Amino acid sequence: TTLAEAYLSAGDLEAAARAIAPELGHREAPSGALRVAASIYLALGDENELRAVAARLRGQTRGKAKALAEVELFLGSLYEADGRHAHALKAYEASNRALESRKAMVAIARVAEAMGNRERALLTYKRLCRADGDEGAACASAEALQKPAQIEP
């Protein structure tokens, strides 16, 4: 895994894929290796391998809510970092369905806003604001979204 991560950091994606491949050959590949592989396949644009690795990560959770939520948060963060907001939103929503969390809800609001879905972002920030006793960052974000969008000349 360390070698694959080094290649990934250096931007040598093909070498990273070759380095991680032996670890993926095990029936019970370590979760860390699968996460590195997901990062590699996303960077390579290999959708089939990415889906297969994501399915293996989900399978390793054996349906445990917390573990599944963490896997979906990880996948969402990968997609979000790559600018694939629709995929990120789907993963963050799956995380929140598995186990509702503030982290997932903040991610949902952030990605919805990035996608231009102000209504979805606003509703999510308002929900977080209520949970925070009507004060804090989520309330400020909700307030900012309630203002009319500025059209730049």
Side-chain angles (χ1 to χ4, degrees):
T1 306
T2 306
L3 182 59
E5 289 172 309
Y7 282 130
L8 180 60
S9 293
D12 190 344
L13 303 177
E14 296 298 332
R18 284 191 304 276
I20 202 70
E23 292 186 59
L24 301 180
H26 302 291
R27 181 169 152 74
E28 288 292 320
S31 176
L34 291 171
R35 287 174 182 242
V36 170
S39 299
I40 293 166
Y41 295 136
L42 179 73
L44 282 169
D46 190 333
E47 293 297 317
N48 290 331
E49 288 296 333
L50 178 57
R51 274 194 296 277
V53 168
R56 288 179 74 180
L57 279 166
R58 290 179 184 112
Q60 283 185 345
T61 69
R62 292 175 175 71
K64 294 180 182 156
K66 184 177 181 183
L68 181 58
E70 288 172 2
V71 164
E72 294 295 349
L73 274 174
F74 166 74
L75 293 170
S77 68
L78 279 184
Y79 285 125
E80 184 178 1
D82 196 48
R84 297 173 63 181
H85 293 117
H87 284 80
L89 184 60
K90 185 177 176 183
Y92 289 143
E93 288 171 336
S95 174
N96 206 50
R97 276 192 308 276
L99 183 67
E100 190 169 295
S101 73
R102 176 175 195 76
K103 191 172 184 178
M105 289 180 64
V106 167
I108 289 167
R110 182 181 61 243
V111 171
E113 187 174 359
M115 294 174 71
N117 189 340
R118 292 171 56 93
E119 183 178 331
R120 174 74 188 274
L122 177 61
L123 291 173
T124 306
Y125 282 133
K126 280 184 172 181
R127 186 170 170 202
L128 287 164
C129 179
R130 282 191 302 277
D132 292 343
D134 292 325
E135 60 185 26
C139 298
S141 294
E143 191 174 307
L145 280 172
Q146 285 180 312
K147 293 178 182 174
Q150 297 291 324
I151 298 175
E152 296 190 25

